[in-house]
Amino acid sequence: MADLDPVTLAVLKGRLEQIADEMDATLFRSAFNPIIAEAHDASHGLYHATTGETLVQGKSGLPIFVGAMSFAVKAVIDKFGAEGISEGDVFIFNDPYEGGTHLSDFKLVQPFYRDGELFCFLASVGHWHDVGGNVPGNYNPVATESFQEGMMIPPVKLFSKGEMRTDVVDILKANSRLPGSLYGDLNGQINALRLGNERLHALLDEYGAGTVAGAMTELRDRAGQLMRSLIKDMPDGRYSADDFLDNDGIHDEPLRIALDIVIEGEKMVLDFSRTSPACDGPVNISRSTAIASCYVALKHVFKDVPANAGVLAPIEFVIPEGSLLSVSAPKPVGGYTETILRIIDTVFVALSTAAPERVNGCAYGTINALSLAGHRKDGRRWVMFSFFGGGHGGNPKGDGLNHGNAPISTATIPPMEILEAAYPVRFTQWALRPDSGGAGRHRGGLGAVYEIELLEEKADVFLFGERGRFAPKGVVGGGSAALNKFTYEQADGDHVPPMASKMVGIKLKKGQKVRLETPGGGGYGDVLERDPAAVAEDVRLGYVSAEAAKETYRTIIAADGSVDAAATEILRAESAQ
């Protein structure tokens, strides 16, 4: 390592990241389903040969997979051992208890050999459009066991010494409503691994295996050192936060996500012992998923740390067995996205006391997984599965992002044009939602309004959402955002789900609509510290109503859109008393 100068280390870091980035791009351009091709719900990386730890991950993939995929690679190592892994093998599985996340995320793991020796692993994960189960698109909000969420494949060989096992492919295709989409996505992932293999060999040809391996070790060690120094800069102490899920889709009772963070010197403990026990519905998650979501939250707080396993070296996790955050098969885990978003929120709120200059208000906190499914006139099956955006929290430097995607990922919201071209639907509204961002010195970003009309004769609709009863919180005195709201049209008018954010079995007829009004982000700082001119600009843009400007921001907007400074000063003085 003494021979590895800083310039060479920086070059190798960029080259390794470029390999993962190219793998991402290959899959995004070749995938059949919009959730990968347009929304980029996938990830690629390089992983340690013996521990499975993340060495490098692409910048376009989902951060949640940084932690989760290391567990996936370790699952292959543990099951097959050195004797069962050979050059040319590729392993495939979607077991969420071993590799994290949920059944829709299929992982492909490939050992990379150099001169006959195992050097590292390459891995790909992508969200497949449909993997069976009771609900098209697989977000089943009333599942009580994983069998109702889709097929589950343990780690098996897809390729054995370079030869594809077509029987495995046949099993996968037979268990999907959309076998063509599945086959296309599978081949996209295979090609991404092939490209990664070629690029890594080229890098080793240029620099040598020893130098590249040394760089990987050094990058991991430096990430750990940086994380320890960032923790040390915060005051020692115990910092706590509680938040809630609306319900589990089965019982209409809130579920607590509770976090106690203990900081002592260069170490941080994330203790979830006070969290609710495992539930009957599908908002449980595995331990690996919980740890991965904590990584994402910490990456938001400590933005400079790189995406490798070294970040987690000084972190201890306390997640009791039997917790909502540490379940095993066959407990349902299909709605993992909703739970990990709440974990991220608790990290933000807990650290807002220890490091107010680093955190932001909670984001909108639900992907609102919505499925519409039916048959076309010629009998062909169609399944529209998509997720939707909302506001991000206000932060120390400014207002939150309007209509962003969930902070678990760098994925993008599928474009309206793509969805309308692929499925028999029409978006009659796609707009920002006024007054949905939490108030504060820096306002939370706005949520959105989506209204979707069915163009086919009939369809079934399924919703898996959250934040229908517990709004996204602000920090450092900032206010909460608006609640999530879902309505669906029937012959007798509009209806809302009895459980606020989850429902199956909605029947739509041609011309009927569903409507999502998503939350904004939580505010940052005292609302009375917000510049009245900024409030006036929000009113002008339609982000905030004149009524909310007066009642919430204590700012009077005159008829011409300007601030009535005298009246505002009086109103704010009264509120401060």
Side-chain angles (χ1 to χ4, degrees), residues 36-157:
I36 297 178
E38 298 294 335
H40 295 177
D41 193 345
S43 185
H44 298 83
L46 283 66
Y47 301 85
H48 195 277
T50 56
T51 66
E53 291 179 332
T54 303
L55 300 171
V56 177
Q57 185 189 356
K59 293 185 288 293
S60 300
L62 271 66
I64 188 65
F65 292 132
V66 172
M69 284 302 290
S70 64
F71 287 94
V73 175
K74 187 66 162 59
V76 170
I77 295 171
D78 289 345
K79 178 174 180 178
F80 291 91
E83 303 80 12
I85 299 175
S86 302
E87 190 166 2
D89 289 349
V90 177
F91 302 86
I92 186 170
F93 67 108
N94 70 333
D95 185 337
Y97 311 99
E98 293 289 343
T101 67
H102 61 169
L103 294 173
S104 297
D105 294 333
F106 262 82
K107 293 94 173 172
L108 272 66
V109 177
Q110 179 182 31
F112 176 87
Y113 282 81
R114 181 73 173 182
D115 297 329
E117 296 291 329
L118 180 61
F119 183 81
C120 69
F121 285 89
L122 303 175
S124 169
V125 56
H127 181 119
W128 290 3
H129 204 151
D130 185 273
V131 296
N134 288 9
V135 169
N138 308 116
Y139 265 81
N140 181 0
V142 295
T144 56
E145 53 185 5
S146 60
F147 305 108
Q148 299 162 358
E149 297 178 313
M151 60 174 163
M152 186 166 75
I153 306 298
V156 296
K157 287 188 180 182

Side-chain angles (χ1 to χ4, degrees), residues 12-22 56-59 306:
L12 288 174
K13 177 179 182 292
R15 291 283 296 273
L16 289 165
E17 290 175 350
Q18 180 63 22
I19 291 172
D21 287 343
E22 284 195 68
V56 177
Q57 185 189 356
K59 293 185 288 293

Side-chain angles (χ1 to χ4, degrees), residues 102-262:
H102 61 169
L103 294 173
S104 297
D105 294 333
F106 262 82
K107 293 94 173 172
L108 272 66
V109 177
Q110 179 182 31
F112 176 87
Y113 282 81
R114 181 73 173 182
D115 297 329
E117 296 291 329
L118 180 61
F119 183 81
C120 69
F121 285 89
L122 303 175
S124 169
V125 56
H127 181 119
W128 290 3
H129 204 151
D130 185 273
V131 296
N134 288 9
V135 169
N138 308 116
Y139 265 81
N140 181 0
V142 295
T144 56
E145 53 185 5
S146 60
F147 305 108
Q148 299 162 358
E149 297 178 313
M151 60 174 163
M152 186 166 75
I153 306 298
V156 296
K157 287 188 180 182
L158 176 66
F159 284 81
S160 181
K161 298 182 179 179
E163 294 294 321
M164 176 182 272
R165 296 183 56 190
T166 56
D167 53 347
V168 174
V169 179
D170 291 341
I171 292 171
L172 296 173
K173 291 169 64 179
N175 281 278
S176 173
R177 296 173 179 85
L178 301 168
S181 175
L182 179 152
Y183 189 64
D185 294 343
L186 173 62
N187 278 280
Q189 289 183 259
I190 291 169
N191 287 330
L193 291 175
R194 285 174 177 162
L195 179 70
N197 200 289
E198 293 173 7
R199 294 289 189 265
L200 188 52
H201 272 301
L203 181 64
L204 297 183
D205 288 343
E206 185 173 351
Y207 284 91
T211 299
V212 175
M216 290 175 169
T217 301
E218 180 70 7
L219 290 170
R220 182 196 182 282
D221 291 345
R222 289 191 178 200
Q225 291 168 8
L226 176 58
M227 192 66 188
R228 278 187 283 271
S229 69
L230 291 169
I231 294 171
K232 188 176 181 179
D233 287 342
M234 293 191 295
D236 288 355
R238 185 182 187 90
Y239 307 96
S240 301
D242 290 35
D243 209 331
F244 294 87
L245 297 167
D246 293 343
N247 49 59
D248 69 351
I250 306 298
H251 307 291
D252 199 5
E253 300 171 356
L255 298 164
R256 182 188 302 272
I257 308 292
L259 171 62
D260 299 304
I261 296 179
V262 179

